[in-house]
Amino acid sequence: MEKAAVDKIDGASQQLNEISQEIWKNPELGFEETKAHNLLTGFLEKEGFQVERSYILDTGFKASFGNDDGPQIAIMAEYDALPDIGHACGHNLIAEAGVGAGLGVKAALESMGKMKGRVTVVGTPAEEGGGGKLYMIRGGALEGVEVAMMVHPYKSSIAAPRKRALYIVRYTFHGKAAHAAMAPWMGQNALDAAVQCYNAISAKRQQFKPDVRVHGVFTNGGAKPNIIPEEAELLYYIRSLTTEDLKEVVKKCNSCAEGAAISADCTVDIKYETYYAEVISNVNLANHYQKNAESLGMVFPTDEKIVRNLGGSTDMGNVSYVVPSIHPMYAIGTEAPNHSREFTVATGAPEAQGPTLIQAKAMALTCVQLLSPGGDKLLKDIKDEFAKVPPNPYASGEKSFKGQIEETTLFRSDYIQLYA
């Protein structure tokens, strides 16, 4: 079975590269990935998968092969890009690796005397701030799924990376318009409130824990200089290692916004937009993935600073609270940071192809080991570990942060700290 999987991926390497390049050359923002959706679903359908287009979301999809008689495995694919700088997070490569792994597992299932189990490639739109996987969870995409996985390009290879919990919060300040030269005293300057909020949050960073990341931009600063701005807006990404700590950081940022509004004689609306949970990597699953990747020539650093020094977030964290999951990072031969123009170049370079095909094979082999005779023990170990993960009603959208910020404790953090 393992040979069948690897041979299939090798045989499809040129087509997989062409898919990746086509997505890279045509970057599409979240929820607008029409070309990528059509390209991926068309290819998977030709390869014999049962495809559901526009699954839950317009640019989501589901491509399945197999039956209900064995493990049900989901491989996640992303394909949205960033504004202005294109595929600076390498989602074209994520799609390539996910589709390639799906092909390999399908070939392995076909090589079985009696097929047992199913692989599903799930196309998840809008990871870059849109929380596409949260919508997919709400829509039932993970019902019946026993294990989920995906990979992500980076400058280093890490089987079980630490990914921060994230809340995207929008602060909209409301004032009163007036002529800025003739009667400024008649106005209430919403931009002043927004600037004071920005400065207050920046000053507050001294009191944040070292693992906290808070960054924002002005999305509205007024209409014209001669009009006192009656509305101004800030959009913030607020992150911490755990949801429990994140709640406290959001509360402090909200206090900055409320104080700034009062000082400028304005009001503020606080909107909680998207929540990404911290990733809970399933250690049993991650260990098997790493062994498979190493057998293919992949090298994982042992320096703890590299392993633990990750600042990003992903909606795969939400998935990891619903089913046992992994989200490994893998090196593509660049020192450039994600979300830079240099990383965009690297994700479209020929040098990224070898590592990406290794990822497809490593995921496929991990799936094959779950589907093979004797895989029941591994699956049980994975599920037993997952049973210890504390519930997180925010991950699936059952609860919102709204009205919950004043609570003192959301979850136990002992498990999260142990496996983060």
Side-chain angles (χ1 to χ4, degrees), residues 153-405:
Y154 185 54
K155 62 181 180 180
S156 299
S157 297
I158 308 170
R162 302 176 80 185
K163 305 290 280 185
R164 288 174 169 85
L166 160 74
Y167 224 118
I168 299 175
V169 184
R170 190 178 298 271
Y171 299 108
T172 305
F173 296 88
H174 302 282
K176 183 179 179 182
H179 197 293
M182 294 176 63
W185 56 87
M186 298 293 290
Q188 294 166 327
N189 197 318
L191 179 58
D192 282 350
V195 169
Q196 290 186 64
C197 174
Y198 186 92
N199 289 335
I201 290 175
S202 296
K204 198 73 172 176
R205 286 193 179 97
Q206 186 180 27
Q207 277 69 53
F208 289 152
K209 293 180 180 179
D211 58 78
V212 170
R213 300 288 185 271
V214 179
H215 28 271
V217 295
F218 288 82
T219 56
N220 181 5
K224 290 184 69 176
N226 64 349
I227 304 171
I228 298 292
E230 63 180 351
E231 185 173 288
E233 190 174 82
L234 290 167
L235 182 65
Y236 267 91
Y237 281 26
I238 304 173
R239 310 178 198 247
S240 190
L241 279 181
T242 69
T243 299
E244 183 177 350
D245 287 344
L246 177 63
K247 175 205 63 177
E248 294 301 324
V249 181
V250 171
K251 181 180 177 181
K252 290 177 181 179
C253 291
N254 288 355
S255 295
C256 291
E258 291 162 356
I262 292 170
S263 70
D265 242 356
C266 296
T267 60
V268 61
D269 293 333
I270 301 173
K271 182 180 180 183
Y272 304 107
E273 297 204 341
T274 307
Y275 163 71
Y276 288 180
E278 60 271 43
V279 173
I280 303 296
S281 295
N282 189 280
V283 176
N284 276 289
L285 188 57
N287 286 344
H288 276 268
Y289 155 82
Q290 182 167 338
K291 289 177 184 177
N292 287 319
E294 288 173 336
S295 75
L296 295 163
M298 188 174 171
V299 177
F300 292 85
T302 56
D303 186 342
E304 190 66 13
K305 289 182 180 179
I306 296 175
V307 173
R308 299 180 72 85
N309 188 26
L310 272 173
S313 308
T314 171
D315 52 8
M316 191 65 183
N318 300 56
V319 174
S320 75
Y321 271 101
V322 179
V323 298
S325 303
I326 55 171
H327 183 281
M329 312 293 283
Y330 71 99
I332 59 170
T334 181
E335 289 299 314
N338 293 56
H339 290 208
S340 68
R341 293 189 184 277
E342 293 80 7
F343 200 80
T344 303
V345 173
T347 63
E351 291 79 7
Q353 286 307 299
T356 301
L357 291 175
I358 287 177
Q359 295 309 300
K361 294 172 187 177
M363 285 195 290
L365 291 175
T366 305
C367 294
V368 169
Q369 287 156 9
L370 285 165
L371 294 162
S372 299
D376 292 349
K377 172 64 168 57
L378 173 57
L379 185 59
K380 182 181 184 302
D381 290 343
I382 290 169
K383 289 184 174 182
D384 287 347
E385 179 186 336
F386 180 73
K388 299 175 185 177
V389 175
N392 182 345
Y394 302 96
S396 61
E398 293 175 33
K399 290 182 72 174
S400 166
F401 263 33
K402 186 175 182 180
Q404 303 296 321
I405 296 300

Side-chain angles (χ1 to χ4, degrees), residues 106-130:
K106 177 178 178 289
L109 285 168
E110 290 173 325
S111 73
M112 297 174 70
K114 183 178 180 183
M115 190 184 304
K116 290 186 176 182
R118 175 182 286 110
V119 61
T120 301
V121 181
V122 183
T124 61
E127 188 277 336
E128 294 292 351

Side-chain angles (χ1 to χ4, degrees), residues 16-24 40 75-80 87-101 150-154 330-334 338 343-360 363:
L16 293 170
N17 182 31
E18 290 171 358
I19 288 171
S20 175
Q21 287 296 308
E22 188 67 19
I23 294 173
W24 186 83
L40 294 166
I75 300 171
M76 303 296 189
E78 298 173 359
Y79 32 90
D80 60 317
H87 279 288
C89 214
H91 292 191
N92 59 306
L93 300 177
I94 295 173
E96 177 184 357
V99 170
M150 63 169 285
V151 293
H152 199 298
Y154 185 54
Y330 71 99
I332 59 170
T334 181
N338 293 56
F343 200 80
T344 303
V345 173
T347 63
E351 291 79 7
Q353 286 307 299
T356 301
L357 291 175
I358 287 177
Q359 295 309 300
M363 285 195 290

